[in-house]
Amino acid sequence: MKTFFLSCCLMLSGSLTYAQELKFSLEGDWRVRLDSLDQGENSGWYKDKNLPGQIVKLPGTLDESGIGTRSNALPELKRPIVDQLTRKYSYIGAAWYSREIVIPDTWKNKQVQLTLERVIWKTEVWVDGIKQEGVGESLVAPHTFNLININTPGTHTLTIKVDNRKQYDVSLSDKNFAHAYTEGTQVIWNGILGTISLEALNAINIKTVQVFPSYDSSQLKIEIDVANNIKHKSKGMIELSIPLLLNPLKKSASLHGENQKLSFVVKLDREKIKTWDEFNVNLYELEVNLQTKTKSTKINVSKQATFGFRKLNTFNAQLQINDRRFFVRGTLECAIFPLKGHPPMDTLSWAKIFRIAKSYGLNHLRFHSWCPPEAAFEAADRHGFYLQIELPFWSLTAGKDEVVNNYLEREALRIIENYGNHPSFVFWSMGNELEGNFEWLNSLVARLKQNDSRHLYTTTTFSFQKGHGLWPEPQDDYFITQYTKKGWIRGQGIFDTEAPNFNKDYSASVDSITVPVIAHEIGQYSVYPNIDEIKKYTGVLAPLNLEAVEKDLVNKNMLRYARSFTEASGKFAVQLYKEEIERALKTKGFSGFQLLDLHDFPGQGTALVGVLDAFWDSKGFVTPEEFRAFCSPVTLLIRYPKAVYTNIERFEATVEIANFSTQELKEQIISWTINSKQNGVIASGSFSKQDFIIGNNLKAGSISADLSKVSAADKLTIEVQMGTHKNTWSIWVYPEMQLESNGDVFVTQAFDVAQAELARGKKVLLIPGLKDIKGIEGKFVPVFWSPVHFPDQPGTMGVLVDPSHKVFQSFPTDSHSDWQWWDINKHSVVIEEKEPLIRIIDNFFKNRELGILYEFSSGKGKIVICTADILTDKEHRPAANQLFNSIVRYMNSEDFKPSHEIDPGLLSRLRK
């Protein structure tokens, strides 16, 4: 492995001066030298100004400058390649960054502070060869240094050592899954991302301002952290002001000659206060001015703090904001930024993410095992988004290492100090799926609540640990889980094992839980890779995982199916996400869900589980408007018992509303229609005017329709509308009439009989018993998460068919799986053979040609092989019966002309 060694000093051309400024940016050119052998400090690299080296741009990373070990990996379907995107250049270790700076005359004898925003992981600083006090270690907050020997005017050399090696064991030991420190989504980059600045501070200055608003009492508690380098007591004056809310208010302050916290309570005019939430982004800026004087000079310093008024609490085990129930419709942000390999540091980039998420009806973003930079909070404040922040922690040994415990406690205090004022900072979890010492976790949460009451806390975002994860912890303000001791609250454990039933919700599973419940990481339905996405990767990460899939498809002559695989698996996933979300919205007392994910997760085995790609761009499966139909503040819902009917039945459904808007909905009229592709509107109706309070499980009325008008197999659409709100569902209706005979088709379950009849030139429909077939277990739901990360699953991704093929003339279907396929898929064995009529999409890690329905010719004979059981108990399985009827009708028609000759050994290979 080749490593590049580069020098660390930057000689600037010309002289830079900074006039009367008290703060200036160090953005620009720096020199860097890599220190993979850890010899820099012993060799005195911090002393040299003119070592040979390479210029890099900061803010930025070595990856962006093309510095480090260049990848020579090739696109192959092997786990190291398909696990995640590939860094084009990588470097883990110490790197020395250096440049010259010019200190202006006005900074003489002032204290100078260096700020380094967003660094992985450890920083140390030298000025003119002298090591500065302190070490930066935070993954969540800026590293700051109070520099010595730099407050004399003139030219100085500033050197920063950045070491991106793991400093604390916060991430499943060697797996590095926690997204604050991972190669799976963002990479373990070396550099500095955000603000790099020097600031001249007065002898007395304001370090932080914390604002604790109370809407009920119409007041603010303000805590001001004053840094004081003057050793004698003095008197000061604090002036507080908030435009449109608080005229300048002066308070006297006694300064003790040491660092201290000043605390004030300010009463406000209740009539002027406007609250903050997802619908009303009312923000205020508090300005704090401190005036005092020393023996030699007057000091006047100021600090601003942005905040919002929101009353955040729980009531009856439900989330409340501003005395109104709210429901979180969330997704995850796992530091997925495939162009630069690191989070953006500007508000515009974050605003784009929140705008897109909001366009899909979401109001919540969970930062999985990491804390975003200041820009994310600022953008969320302005877009009315509820954030869940997590410590940089994903561990099975939580609380068991005192060194790690102390580090995480320091990180928690840094989160409060830097981001606690933001109203968008609503939820706070100690980490993802933690296991270990829950006494320590509960104790940590209790202490944080005492320090900062502005957020809702939970000990962990779910846990698999025995005795935990099934019920809330003592300190949980809210509870995130995928199941309780009473049952599942997400479709992963239900949709493949229970026949489709749209009456259900999770009320029984959450009964008696005394804190709000949020469903953990719902979805995770894998979608086939989009080969067209490859061209988007123009940054530091190479999509060798996607290229490997493309290469494998080319080698297997299957590339022509790639787009169809993507579309069919994606549209199927949308249907599953729709039912996931609607069940959550139907559950009385439920408080929300967190998707995994609205967009793709390119790590942990290439988990392409999103309806958007890793760039937050649409894949074309569903529009924002279509998604909002089942995921929005006001959502229309129906309950009905099944997806498949016969035409001697009635369709019965109840209509309800989830109203999580700002107010009660008055005098609403709800109308409904049932549409047939073949017969138009077969039933319709409306309900009288009604009012709907804020909440869910709000009953609106019933739908009842006679299905006898449906004389031929058809897909019906149920549409419910209230003003501008509309939602739709599909059911499938099949005629009760059976085939009078099989015509010329010989139907058998026996391989030997099928072989003999085929040899006699007959039309044969072979439907073997499932126990007699060699193949793969039939599944309805697609791959969970990733076939690479979880290889021991059957690993299929739904059906792909040509709806116009005559075999489906009496079995209406889209090109992809939907609920009418559940019974057929679950009673099937999937086999590997070319050119199926019902193709089963294989996972991208294997790319086999799979199917459950084939047609072949053999001399004068013709055969259809169906490896789904569509014979057994047909009178109680209308979808299976209808598919059987459709196949037989097709085989009796002139359209039955198989173009492929049967492989003579096929039947033997299929037989167990």
Side-chain angles (χ1 to χ4, degrees):
M1 183 180 292
K2 184 177 180 182
T3 303
F4 297 90
F5 293 91
L6 302 164
S7 81
C8 66
C9 267
L10 172 66
M11 294 296 295
L12 297 177
S13 58
S15 175
L16 297 179
T17 59
Y18 299 93
Q20 303 298 315
E21 295 180 8
L22 294 178
K23 184 175 182 179
F24 61 82
S25 171
L26 299 179
E27 177 180 345
D29 292 343
W30 291 66
R31 280 197 185 275
V32 65
R33 185 177 186 183
L34 307 190
D35 190 8
S36 62
L37 300 179
D38 286 323
Q39 61 185 10
E41 191 162 356
N42 289 335
S43 300
W45 289 6
Y46 48 83
K47 299 177 183 177
D48 297 311
K49 298 181 180 180
N50 299 307
L51 290 175
Q54 188 165 337
I55 293 177
V56 296
K57 293 283 187 184
L58 292 181
T61 67
L62 296 181
D63 294 66
E64 292 173 283
S65 293
I67 296 174
T69 302
R70 185 168 185 168
S71 172
N72 59 4
L74 298 173
E76 300 174 293
L77 277 185
K78 296 181 179 179
R79 179 143 192 179
I81 298 299
V82 191
D83 246 352
Q84 59 203 28
L85 299 168
T86 300
R87 292 175 73 175
K88 295 177 182 178
Y89 294 88
S90 61
Y91 177 73
I92 307 292
W96 297 69
Y97 299 85
S98 184
R99 68 172 291 172
E100 288 190 344
I101 57 175
V102 178
I103 297 299
D105 293 339
T106 53
W107 284 30
K108 185 176 181 179
N109 296 326
K110 285 187 177 290
Q111 180 181 318
V112 177
Q113 180 174 280
L114 171 67
T115 298
L116 311 172
E117 186 185 14
R118 196 60 43 155
V119 183
I120 296 178
W121 185 327
K122 177 182 176 182
T123 54
E124 297 171 275
V125 175
W126 286 259
V127 175
D128 297 334
I130 298 175
K131 190 170 185 177
Q132 306 298 292
E133 292 182 2
V135 174
E137 63 170 7
S138 181
L139 292 172
V140 305
H143 298 190
T144 59
F145 295 83
N146 291 325
L147 304 181
I148 57 175
N149 73 296
I150 200 172
N151 57 0
T152 56
T155 301
H156 298 269
T157 301
L158 176 64
T159 304
I160 303 168
K161 179 185 176 185
V162 177
D163 191 341
N164 63 348
R165 286 172 290 196
K166 182 185 285 189
Q167 304 297 312
Y168 298 94
D169 190 10
V170 298
S171 187
L172 292 182
S173 189
D174 61 328
K175 292 184 180 179
N176 292 334
F177 277 173
H179 299 309
Y181 188 81
T182 183
E183 297 280 29
T185 48
Q186 73 169 324
V187 300
I188 303 174
W189 44 267
N190 192 301
I192 304 168
L193 292 189
T195 297
I196 311 171
S197 66
L198 287 179
E199 183 175 8
L201 302 177
N202 289 290
I204 299 175
N205 63 83
I206 300 172
K207 289 178 63 179
T208 63
V209 175
Q210 295 293 321
V211 185
F212 297 84
S214 172
Y215 181 71
D216 281 346
S217 59
S218 306
Q219 66 183 27
L220 294 178
K221 179 183 177 184
I222 302 167
E223 292 185 352
I224 304 166
D225 191 358
V226 177
N228 192 338
N229 291 314
I230 297 175
K231 301 305 179 185
H232 61 269
K233 296 181 180 180
S234 61
K235 290 191 177 294
M237 183 66 67
I238 296 284
E239 183 178 272
L240 308 171
S241 64
I242 305 171
L244 304 179
L245 193 60
L246 177 66
N247 293 325
L249 177 67
K250 293 186 176 181
K251 300 273 189 177
S252 61
S254 177
L255 305 178
H256 297 160
E258 57 188 16
N259 295 346
Q260 67 188 96
K261 283 190 176 179
L262 304 176
S263 183
F264 304 97
V265 175
V266 177
K267 191 73 176 176
L268 301 170
D269 184 348
R270 178 66 171 266
E271 298 299 318
K272 293 182 178 180
I273 296 175
K274 295 182 179 179
T275 55
W276 181 97
D277 60 26
E278 65 188 280
F279 305 104
N280 304 286
V281 288
N282 298 306
L283 298 171
Y284 295 101
E285 185 169 276
L286 168 68
E287 177 151 356
V288 179
N289 287 293
L290 169 60
Q291 298 176 356
T292 187
K293 63 180 179 178
T294 67
K295 294 179 181 179
S296 58
T297 184
K298 291 182 179 180
I299 294 176
N300 189 341
V301 294
S302 64
K303 194 87 171 180
Q304 292 78 38
T306 300
F307 69 97
F309 274 91
R310 55 158 172 71
K311 181 181 178 182
L312 183 66
N313 63 341
T314 65
F315 179 72
N316 287 339
Q318 297 167 3
L319 294 173
Q320 299 274 322
I321 191 165
N322 304 327
D323 294 321
R324 185 185 72 247
R325 186 179 167 197
F326 75 104
F327 189 97
V328 294
R329 304 176 303 279
T331 188
L332 273 62
E333 179 41 70
C334 302
I336 301 167
F337 303 101
L339 284 183
K340 293 188 175 182
H342 63 71
M345 303 300 293
D346 62 293
T347 55
L348 287 178
S349 296
W350 285 104
K352 176 184 175 183
I353 290 173
F354 294 127
R355 281 197 304 271
I356 292 171
K358 208 156 195 174
S359 75
Y360 284 81
L362 303 184
N363 63 359
H364 169 53
L365 199 65
R366 172 196 165 201
F367 289 90
H368 180 312
S369 58
W370 72 295
C371 175
E374 175 74 15
F377 291 93
E378 292 177 350
D381 289 346
R382 296 169 190 169
H383 285 79
F385 239 70
Y386 307 132
L387 305 185
Q388 175 171 302
I389 308 307
E390 295 184 1
L391 288 176
F393 199 35
W394 184 355
S395 174
L396 305 182
T397 58
K400 296 184 178 181
D401 184 329
E402 196 65 31
V403 172
V404 174
N405 295 353
N406 292 337
Y407 169 71
L408 291 169
E409 290 169 15
R410 294 193 298 272
E411 289 284 67
L413 294 176
R414 287 187 276 256
I415 287 174
I416 292 173
E417 179 180 305
N418 285 273
Y419 314 119
N421 289 328
H422 289 284
S424 58
F425 183 179
V426 171
F427 303 104
W428 195 352
S429 170
M430 300 304 100
N432 178 69
E433 295 176 358
L434 298 175
E435 299 182 31
N437 184 347
F438 273 82
E439 288 186 11
W440 175 78
L441 284 169
N442 277 284
S443 172
L444 175 59
V445 170
R447 281 176 278 137
L448 291 176
K449 287 181 179 180
Q450 289 181 337
N451 279 332
D452 190 350
S453 60
R454 294 171 291 187
H455 324 287
L456 296 177
Y457 292 82
T458 191
T459 49
T460 175
T461 307
F462 185 53
S463 177
F464 288 102
Q465 184 170 329
K466 187 176 181 180
H468 301 272
L470 296 173
W471 215 249
E473 294 294 320
Q475 289 296 329
D476 286 348
D477 293 328
Y478 65 105
F479 179 50
I480 300 177
T481 189
Q482 62 184 26
Y483 43 64
T484 73
K485 60 187 179 183
K486 297 185 177 184
W488 284 90
I489 61 167
R490 73 178 194 185
Q492 176 203 344
I494 298 168
F495 290 169
D496 201 59
T497 58
E498 297 181 1
N501 183 326
F502 307 94
N503 277 325
K504 292 192 173 182
D505 60 31
Y506 304 120
S507 298
S509 298
V510 301
D511 180 53
S512 303
I513 295 181
T514 57
V515 299
V517 179
I518 296 174
H520 176 58
E521 296 183 355
I522 69 171
Q524 305 190 51
Y525 302 117
S526 188
V527 175
Y528 199 86
N530 178 12
I531 301 303
D532 293 338
E533 188 182 314
I534 291 172
K535 59 180 176 289
K536 290 186 176 184
Y537 290 86
T538 58
V540 304
L541 292 163
L544 297 187
N545 49 357
L546 304 184
E547 292 174 12
V549 174
E550 181 182 39
K551 180 180 176 182
D552 193 51
L553 291 175
V554 169
N555 291 340
K556 294 175 178 175
N557 194 29
M558 293 175 62
L559 185 62
R560 64 188 184 277
Y561 301 125
R563 184 59 199 167
S564 296
F565 288 169
T566 303
E567 289 181 351
S569 60
K571 290 179 178 179
F572 179 31
V574 170
Q575 296 306 312
L576 296 170
Y577 274 113
K578 174 176 164 67
E579 177 60 15
E580 286 268 14
I581 291 170
E582 290 186 351
R583 284 201 187 194
L585 286 167
K586 288 174 183 174
T587 301
K588 189 174 183 179
F590 219 50
S591 284
F593 59 82
Q594 294 169 339
L595 296 174
L596 189 58
D597 193 350
L598 187 67
H599 72 319
D600 283 344
F601 185 108
Q604 287 185 24
T606 306
L608 308 180
V609 295
V611 300
L612 308 181
D613 64 23
F615 300 84
W616 289 86
D617 294 332
S618 173
K619 297 182 185 179
F621 309 147
V622 60
T623 67
E625 293 78 14
E626 291 167 339
F627 202 91
R628 287 201 306 274
F630 55 85
C631 180
S632 63
V634 177
T635 306
L636 295 163
L637 303 161
I638 66 172
R639 294 180 188 254
Y640 56 107
K642 57 185 180 177
V644 176
Y645 296 78
T646 61
N647 64 353
I648 64 170
E649 297 180 274
R650 293 188 70 84
F651 174 74
E652 306 279 356
T654 57
V655 180
E656 63 186 68
I657 290 178
N659 173 24
F660 294 104
S661 65
T662 58
Q663 59 191 355
E664 182 177 353
L665 302 174
K666 296 284 191 179
E667 297 188 329
Q668 300 295 310
I669 296 178
I670 295 176
S671 60
W672 59 271
T673 59
I674 300 179
N675 292 285
S676 160
K677 283 187 176 181
Q678 300 178 25
N679 301 307
V681 176
I682 66 168
S684 64
S686 63
F687 309 138
S688 57
K689 290 181 180 179
Q690 298 174 75
D691 299 340
F692 298 100
I693 63 173
I694 292 175
N696 64 341
N697 208 232
L698 309 173
K699 308 303 182 183
S702 298
I703 296 172
S704 181
D706 181 0
L707 300 178
S708 60
K709 293 181 182 178
V710 182
S711 57
D714 202 356
K715 174 184 176 182
L716 306 187
T717 300
I718 297 94
E719 180 178 290
V720 179
Q721 186 161 3
M722 181 182 72
T724 59
H725 305 286
K726 181 170 65 175
N727 201 356
T728 60
W729 301 264
S730 298
I731 61 171
W732 290 262
V733 180
Y734 305 131
E736 178 68 14
M737 290 282 293
Q738 305 292 321
L739 284 171
E740 293 183 2
S741 74
N742 295 334
D744 295 334
V745 178
F746 185 89
V747 181
T748 182
Q749 290 185 286
F751 285 95
D752 291 342
V753 174
Q755 188 79 60
E757 294 299 317
L758 187 61
R760 293 174 57 196
K762 297 287 188 179
K763 294 179 182 178
V764 179
L765 174 55
L766 173 62
I767 309 174
L770 299 183
K771 293 181 179 179
D772 298 328
I773 307 169
K774 291 179 183 176
I776 303 164
E777 176 190 356
K779 300 282 284 185
F780 175 68
V781 297
V783 171
F784 171 73
W785 188 241
S786 159
V788 183
H789 193 72
F790 294 111
D792 297 330
Q793 52 182 320
T796 53
M797 304 179 75
V799 304
L800 172 63
V801 300
D802 176 4
S804 66
H805 195 287
K806 297 299 183 180
V807 75
F808 301 114
Q809 189 164 3
S810 297
F811 188 81
T813 181
D814 293 310
S815 61
H816 56 85
S817 283
D818 212 326
W819 296 104
Q820 90 277 24
W821 283 98
W822 187 91
D823 180 68
I824 294 165
N825 286 149
K826 288 294 292 179
H827 293 85
S828 72
V829 173
V830 180
I831 65 173
E832 185 174 359
E833 187 62 32
K834 295 184 182 301
E835 304 299 335
L837 297 177
I838 300 177
R839 182 182 296 275
I840 302 297
I841 303 169
D842 196 14
N843 69 77
F844 60 83
F845 201 39
K846 293 181 178 176
N847 295 317
R848 297 162 294 185
E849 280 211 70
L850 304 177
I852 58 173
L853 187 69
Y854 296 83
E855 64 176 357
F856 301 102
S857 61
S858 178
K860 293 183 179 180
K862 303 173 186 177
I863 188 170
V864 169
I865 303 171
C866 180
T867 59
D869 176 7
I870 54 176
L871 283 178
T872 304
D873 198 24
K874 288 196 295 182
E875 61 271 23
H876 298 113
R877 299 174 56 217
N881 183 53
Q882 190 62 35
L883 181 59
F884 174 85
N885 293 343
S886 192
I887 293 170
V888 170
R889 288 192 179 107
Y890 166 65
M891 294 179 70
N892 279 309
S893 73
E894 294 181 356
D895 295 310
F896 183 41
K897 299 174 182 178
S899 58
H900 298 284
E901 189 78 14
I902 192 170
D903 180 341
L906 175 60
L907 296 185
S908 297
R909 292 199 307 273
L910 294 182
R911 189 174 186 175
K912 274 190 178 178

